[in-house]
Amino acid sequence: KTGALINSWGSGLFIMPHGLEIDRDDNIWVTDVGLHQVFKFSLEGELLMTLGEAQVAGNDSNHFDLPTDIAVAPDGSFYVSDGYGNSRVIQFDSEGEFLLEWGTYGNGDGEFNIPHGIDLDASGNVYVADRENNRIQKFDALGNYITQWQNSTTDQLYSVVVDQKENKIF
């Protein structure tokens, strides 16, 4: 409640932690884009599961290429957005066994240009933030495309001007 640090862990373990999820059992899930791995920890920081091979990129059922985020379903199965190097979503069962994957690079339905964030709704639908395509795509639990929401306003180029004399950013 006060904002004081209660506990910390993981020092020396991560290269570039990127995605974070806390499941219904208070386990903490982390994707590390630098290690090409996904980790599951207890609330106390005990390592419970590791997926992927440290510092080895790949695109098969045992490897990731810069995974960005994770979403855990109520039954413990989970989805990983494998986004910077691969353009796919992978589903695993609660024990970390590969179930299925979908997605390729592109801008069509079910295609991604950096699937960056992922989440689930109460019905089990999967929402993927398709970063460079400026949209969110919605899928069912088996990866079947349902719909998308396109953000056309972010296609504009923005610039930042720094006035060092006035110490302002425009």
Side-chain angles (χ1 to χ4, degrees):
K1 293 180 180 179
T2 66
L5 179 65
I6 296 172
N7 188 14
S8 69
W9 43 265
S11 178
L13 174 65
F14 303 113
I15 291 178
M16 190 175 172
H18 193 278
L20 177 74
E21 170 88 358
I22 300 174
D23 67 23
R24 68 183 328 164
D25 296 322
D26 288 332
N27 295 307
I28 301 167
W29 296 77
V30 179
T31 60
D32 190 310
V33 296
L35 287 171
H36 307 287
Q37 291 183 295
V38 174
F39 301 97
K40 177 183 178 182
F41 298 94
S42 71
L43 189 59
E44 295 75 31
E46 176 189 357
L47 182 61
L48 303 174
M49 182 186 301
T50 303
L51 294 171
E53 188 175 351
Q55 297 184 2
V56 177
N59 64 357
D60 57 35
S61 61
N62 296 311
H63 293 87
F64 304 101
D65 194 352
L66 308 167
T68 54
D69 201 9
I70 187 165
V72 182
D75 68 358
S77 63
F78 56 96
Y79 298 83
V80 176
S81 54
D82 192 17
Y84 283 113
N86 294 319
S87 294
R88 65 180 179 165
V89 171
I90 310 165
Q91 183 187 23
F92 296 90
D93 70 14
S94 62
E95 301 300 313
E97 295 296 319
F98 173 85
L99 294 175
L100 62 96
E101 70 175 78
W102 73 87
T104 59
Y105 178 80
N107 60 11
D109 297 347
E111 297 176 338
F112 305 107
N113 186 352
I114 306 182
H116 197 256
I118 192 164
D119 208 349
L120 308 173
D121 67 18
S123 299
N125 294 309
V126 181
Y127 297 82
V128 181
D130 187 7
R131 190 176 91 176
E132 297 304 304
N133 283 326
N134 299 313
R135 64 185 178 181
I136 296 172
Q137 293 191 68
K138 179 181 179 181
F139 302 89
D140 69 15
L142 299 176
N144 297 303
Y145 175 83
I146 297 173
T147 192
Q148 69 175 313
W149 295 272
Q150 181 73 48
N151 182 356
S152 59
T153 62
T154 60
D155 290 338
Q156 303 169 21
L157 295 176
Y158 295 94
S159 61
V160 176
V161 177
V162 178
D163 183 338
Q164 292 180 348
K165 288 182 181 179
E166 297 291 323
N167 199 23
K168 294 181 181 177
I169 299 176
F170 302 93

